[in-house]
Amino acid sequence: MVLDDLGSSLRGTLDDLRGKSRISEEDIEDIVKEIQRSLLQADVDVGLVQDLSDGIKSRALDEEPPAGTTPRDWVLRIVYEELVDLVGESTEIPLENQTIMLAGLYGSGKTTTAAKMAWWFSKKGLRPAVIQTDTDRPGAYDQSKQMADNAEVEFYGDEDSNDPVEIAREGLAATEDADVRIVDTAGRDGLNEELIDQIERIGAEVQPDRNLLVIDAAMGQSAKDQAQEFEDAIGIDGVAITKLDGTAKGGGALAAVDQTDSTIAFLGTGETVKDIERFEPSGFISRLLG
Ligand code: GDP
């Protein structure tokens, strides 16, 4: 079943090793090249691809397969373990009382993700609330309220206020009975001091238990710088990758994950509140390689 997670051409290359009693350096090179091609196409950072390649090569050539394991199964195991190492484990999201703040650039999918996460928590039996603090984007309030209605979760926002910190403070008080408070914040087209200052102030007010960075799957390499800025400002505990129902495979987000020393929490796969999945390494690996 692990083999099914790998892309079809890689599967073919690995299958060619079936029956071989010894796997040569050349065989390993072929496999690594195949993986490199897929990952670079999926927007994975060159440095990360290189690290992965080195890891696979040195382990496949230096380590002895355990007794009873065929060379092919051994290589397959190494490839899989190194890929899991690359994408990371899923961010731990305890099913308990907590406040989660979302950060990210304008249009990354924060507002949508806030409602999706609230829906996800409600399906886990918790009582979530969305707090909308985006006072910059016209329509953010209505969109957020509508999506919270669709998700059938509590919502707090104030369309007449232009003070996000005050909205956050009042939102926390108004949603006291909720188990999980998801605080949506404003984005900008690019990172600037005003955005960073604002999110720092909201963070100081709400004291979130975890901060998630929302990244559009199509973001590519620039996700890295963005991630660093947010990491410096508020600390990033996990990443949500959105728009994976499009053509982008989301490999660019791995650079952001690496940069912030965090992990991936959620994947967004559509525009409705139900289009959310918990990140899980093997599914994401098959997406990257497929
Ligand atoms: P924000 O500015 O970060 O709050 O972004 P929004 O939540 O408003 O999302 C921007 C656009 O992306 C909207 O049109 C959303 O419907 C769309 N969107 C968000 N997440 C997804 C997703 O997972 N898949 C698709 N196809 N569209 C998404």
Side-chain angles (χ1 to χ4, degrees):
M1 79 251 120
V2 166
L3 195 56
D4 286 343
D5 291 332
L6 305 175
S8 57
S9 62
L10 179 60
R11 206 154 60 215
T13 309
L14 279 158
D15 264 343
D16 291 344
L17 305 180
R18 202 185 286 279
K20 283 198 179 183
S21 58
R22 213 190 135 265
I23 292 187
S24 68
E25 208 167 326
E26 208 183 336
D27 291 330
I28 303 291
E29 282 291 342
D30 287 348
I31 292 163
V32 166
K33 273 205 193 102
E34 194 112 36
I35 296 171
Q36 285 178 337
R37 195 174 320 130
S38 305
L39 294 181
L40 292 171
Q41 255 169 26
D43 253 344
V44 180
D45 176 79
V46 178
L48 292 178
V49 174
Q50 195 53 50
D51 290 347
L52 173 99
S53 308
D54 294 346
I56 294 174
K57 278 189 213 166
S58 68
R59 287 189 60 195
L61 296 172
D62 297 346
E63 292 179 20
E64 282 297 319
T69 306
T70 66
R72 171 187 164 277
D73 286 351
W74 176 235
V75 172
L76 177 58
R77 190 155 114 200
I78 291 172
V79 165
Y80 190 71
E81 283 174 3
E82 293 295 315
L83 282 164
V84 170
D85 208 44
L86 170 78
V87 303
E89 298 293 338
S90 195
T91 311
E92 203 187 327
I93 305 284
L95 296 177
E96 61 187 30
N97 206 298
Q98 63 193 296
T99 301
I100 301 175
M101 183 165 77
L102 300 185
L105 297 187
Y106 171 75
S108 57
K110 280 180 307 302
T111 300
T112 309
T113 303
K116 285 175 174 180
M117 283 173 56
W119 181 82
W120 183 86
F121 276 111
S122 77
K123 293 296 148 204
K124 297 287 177 193
L126 289 158
R127 185 172 161 188
V130 172
I131 301 173
Q132 174 56 255
T133 72
D134 185 350
T135 55
D136 290 322
R137 179 160 65 89
Y141 175 91
D142 288 338
Q143 180 200 353
S144 187
K145 187 170 189 314
Q146 179 63 52
M147 289 206 80
D149 280 352
N150 295 348
E152 297 180 5
V153 299
E154 213 175 308
F155 170 81
Y156 182 85
D158 182 353
E159 53 187 333
D160 299 322
S161 170
N162 57 8
D163 181 349
V165 178
E166 186 192 3
I167 298 175
R169 182 167 48 241
E170 287 177 359
L172 283 192
T175 59
E176 240 174 18
D177 292 340
D179 301 316
V180 182
R181 288 152 301 276
I182 299 168
V183 182
D184 188 14
T185 61
R188 299 284 192 283
D189 285 334
L191 277 174
N192 58 29
E193 271 173 39
E194 202 193 331
L195 167 63
I196 291 296
D197 176 60
Q198 187 185 87
I199 201 163
E200 275 177 357
R201 286 188 295 121
I202 298 170
E205 184 64 45
V206 304
Q207 298 285 319
D209 296 288
R210 46 189 56 79
N211 294 321
L212 298 189
L213 178 64
V214 180
I215 298 178
D216 184 327
M219 184 82 187
Q221 298 310 316
S222 55
K224 200 168 163 177
D225 297 338
Q226 187 204 138
Q228 187 60 51
E229 295 268 5
F230 282 115
E231 170 71 2
D232 292 344
I234 52 169
I236 296 298
D237 303 294
V239 168
I241 309 177
T242 63
K243 309 185 195 179
L244 280 163
D245 49 316
T247 51
K249 291 179 174 167
L254 291 176
V257 172
D258 184 61
Q259 190 80 11
T260 54
D261 212 6
S262 67
T263 46
I264 307 171
F266 289 103
L267 306 179
T269 55
E271 291 188 82
T272 83
V273 293
K274 296 180 184 172
D275 298 319
I276 180 165
E277 292 170 17
R278 216 37 187 103
F279 168 80
E280 175 267 310
S282 66
F284 195 70
I285 288 170
S286 50
R287 218 186 267 269
L288 286 180
L289 296 176

